[in-house]
Amino acid sequence: MMEWKDIAKTVGAAAPVLGTLLGGPAGGGIGAIIASVLGVGATPDDVSQALTVNPEAAVKLKQIEKERQVELQTLLVQAEANRLASDTAVIASVNATMQAETKSEHWPSYSWRPFCGFVFGLMFFGTYFVLPVLKLPVPVVPTEAWLAMGGVLGVASWFRGKAQADPSNPIPANRG
């Protein structure tokens, strides 16, 4: 069974704004409008079939987009605002977690990020400098391992740098 996002590219070829909206959270509502104009059932399967067999379907999609341009643009703006709000909420949550870890009285809570940094450095140094000097085979470390460690290290370093640059930040100097 198809979903609205499965036909978004096909619809977008004729009507880009409709295609974009069809692939997002408003897909069901936009799909119902398209189905109504095409005179088919309000399912992705019915609309997809109508788009393939009806040569006038593309013209009708363009007509929908032209007649409802302001309404569709408003939906696009709202969808982007919702996405940005969601991203902001995720970042705020991560920031709150990191602040709580930093304020913790338990050393594992505030020292795991620096520990990851030291492990990353030792792993890199050992793999690419010590092993070749000792003429031992260098193992193939999966790219994902380097990306994961680098990501943790990069995010932790960035937030720690911001904290140290802010003189009003109450984080003790010996932590994290």
Side-chain angles (χ1 to χ4, degrees), residues 120 123 128 139-151:
F120 179 80
M123 195 168 82
Y128 295 113
V140 176
V141 179
T143 303
E144 292 81 7
W146 293 120
L147 290 174
M149 289 297 289

Side-chain angles (χ1 to χ4, degrees), residues 23-125:
I30 298 298
I33 292 169
I34 293 171
S36 173
V37 170
L38 295 178
V40 297
T43 68
D45 293 312
D46 291 343
V47 171
S48 177
Q49 184 174 0
L51 292 172
T52 56
V53 298
N54 183 352
E56 295 295 315
V59 173
K60 288 181 180 181
L61 291 176
K62 289 177 185 176
Q63 182 181 357
I64 295 170
E65 198 168 82
K66 184 178 178 185
E67 290 173 358
R68 298 178 182 222
Q69 185 175 12
V70 174
E71 180 184 353
L72 295 174
Q73 291 294 337
T74 302
L75 284 172
L76 275 177
V77 170
Q78 186 61 46
E80 183 62 15
N82 291 344
R83 187 190 65 76
L84 290 173
S86 174
D87 289 352
T88 301
V90 168
I91 291 168
S93 173
V94 169
N95 192 20
T97 300
M98 291 178 75
Q99 287 177 3
E101 288 173 355
T102 303
K103 293 175 185 173
S104 174
E105 294 298 320
H106 304 286
W107 68 269
S109 296
Y110 61 78
S111 61
W112 76 269
R113 292 177 201 276
F115 176 76
C116 284
F118 288 119
V119 168
F120 179 80
L122 288 172
M123 195 168 82
F124 187 85
F125 183 75

